[in-house]
Amino acid sequence: MELGIIGLGKMGGNMAERLHQAGHKVVGFDFNAEAVNKLTAAGSVGVNSLEDLVKNLAAPRAIWIMVPAGDPVDETIARLEPLMQKGDTFIDGGNSNYKDSQRRHAALTAKGFNFVDVGTSGGVWGLEEGYSMMIGGDQEPVGRLSPIFETLAPAKNQGWGHVGPAGAGHFVKMVHNGIEYGMMQAYAEGFSIMKAKEPLALDLSQIAEIWRYGSVVRSWLLDLTAEALKKNPELDGLQAYVTDSGEGRWTVFEAIDLNISAPVITESLIRRLRSREDNNFTDRMIAIQRNAFGGHSVKKD
C-alpha cells in the first residue's frame, strides 16, 4: 500500500522506515533536506515539495501529516488541498486538539476528501516496538487504511483500533497523555522519597530493576526510568524544568467541563507548571504568611 508522510522527524522517519521494511511504498517530504536524504537512502521516495509528494502517489491518495499541532496542521492542509482530488485522505497523526480534528473533518468531507485523526503513542521506540494508535474518523477510509495501521502497530490485531467518529482518536490520545502525566508524577515522587531517606543508602537504579519484574507497578515507563537511572543515577546536568505538550491541560479542561474529578492528573499538570518557576512568588508568599501569623522563621537570600 502507498502512503505519503509529511514530517520526517524522529517519529515520522521511524514510521516511514517501519512501513518500508514491511513492503509498503512510502513517499516522504520534510523541510529538512537531511531527513529527506535519509529516507531516500533507506529505500523509500524522498521528495522536496508537496507537489512532488502528491505526484508520486496513486489515487486515492493517503497522506499522513506529522507536524506540530495547531496552525502548522491547518497550513499544511491548505497547501495540500489544491493538489489533491476527491476521495483522497488526510491523516493527522500528531497531538492535535480533538475539537480541531472535528472541525477539519467537517470542512474536508464537505469538499469530498476524507480526514482521519490518529492519536499515536510510541515515541522514538516505535520503530522497534510498534505504535499504539487510537483512530477517529469515518469507517470507509479507516478500513481502507487498515494495512497501514496493522504494520505500524505492535502486532496486526494489537495496539490499534477505530475508537469512534471524527475527533475520537485525538480525544482518547489526550486522555492517554493525561494518565501518563499522573503515572510519571507518581514514579517521580516515590523515587524522591526513597532518595531522601539517606540513612538507608537506597540504590534507586537497583530498586527500579526489582520493580520491573512481578511488581504491580511494573510498566514500560518504569523500564525507561530504570534505564535512565542506570546511566545517570544522580540525574546530573539536568534542570528541574518540565514542559508539557498541551494534552494534559486539555484533559483537565475536559474533566472540568464534564464535572469529573481528576485530582491526580490536575496536580501532575500543576507540578509541571511549578517546575518552571525560578524562586517562585507563591512559595515566598506562603513563607511570609507563616512568619506573620506564627513567627515561623524565613530563609533569606
Side-chain angles (χ1 to χ4, degrees), residues 72-138:
V73 178
D74 287 321
E75 292 164 3
T76 301
I77 291 174
R79 291 183 60 188
L80 277 175
E81 266 194 63
L83 309 174
M84 306 270 275
Q85 65 186 48
K86 291 182 178 181
D88 289 349
T89 302
F90 295 80
I91 307 166
D92 182 2
N95 286 330
S96 291
N97 188 296
Y98 79 96
K99 294 178 181 178
D100 286 337
S101 297
Q102 291 175 328
R103 169 178 57 81
R104 290 166 185 145
H105 174 271
L108 289 168
T109 54
K111 299 175 183 177
F113 300 114
N114 297 304
F115 179 87
V116 175
D117 56 288
V118 183
T120 310
S121 181
V124 297
W125 296 91
L127 177 59
E128 300 174 17
E129 304 288 339
Y131 298 90
S132 174
M133 291 167 291
M134 300 135 263
I135 303 163
D138 299 326

Side-chain angles (χ1 to χ4, degrees), residues 201-223:
L202 299 173
D203 183 337
L204 302 188
S205 178
Q206 177 202 28
I207 293 166
E209 283 294 330
I210 293 171
W211 287 358
R212 289 181 61 203
Y213 304 97
S215 166
V216 295
V217 299
R218 66 187 184 274
S219 70
W220 185 42
L221 186 56
L222 180 62
D223 295 343

Side-chain angles (χ1 to χ4, degrees), residues 256-268:
I256 294 170
D257 287 343
L258 296 168
N259 292 318
I260 298 296
S261 174
V264 172
I265 294 174
T266 302
E267 178 59 22
S268 66

Side-chain angles (χ1 to χ4, degrees), residues 3-27 39 44 63-67 91-94 118-128 130-133 148-149 151-153:
L3 182 72
I5 298 180
I6 298 174
L8 300 172
K10 288 183 178 179
M11 197 163 181
N14 284 346
M15 290 171 64
E17 186 173 345
R18 188 175 176 92
L19 289 167
H20 173 72
Q21 291 175 355
H24 296 283
K25 176 183 176 181
V26 178
V27 183
L39 182 73
S44 293
I63 297 182
W64 191 302
I65 301 170
M66 289 295 286
V67 301
I91 307 166
D92 182 2
V118 183
T120 310
S121 181
V124 297
W125 296 91
L127 177 59
E128 300 174 17
Y131 298 90
S132 174
M133 291 167 291
I148 296 294
F149 303 135
T151 299
L152 291 174

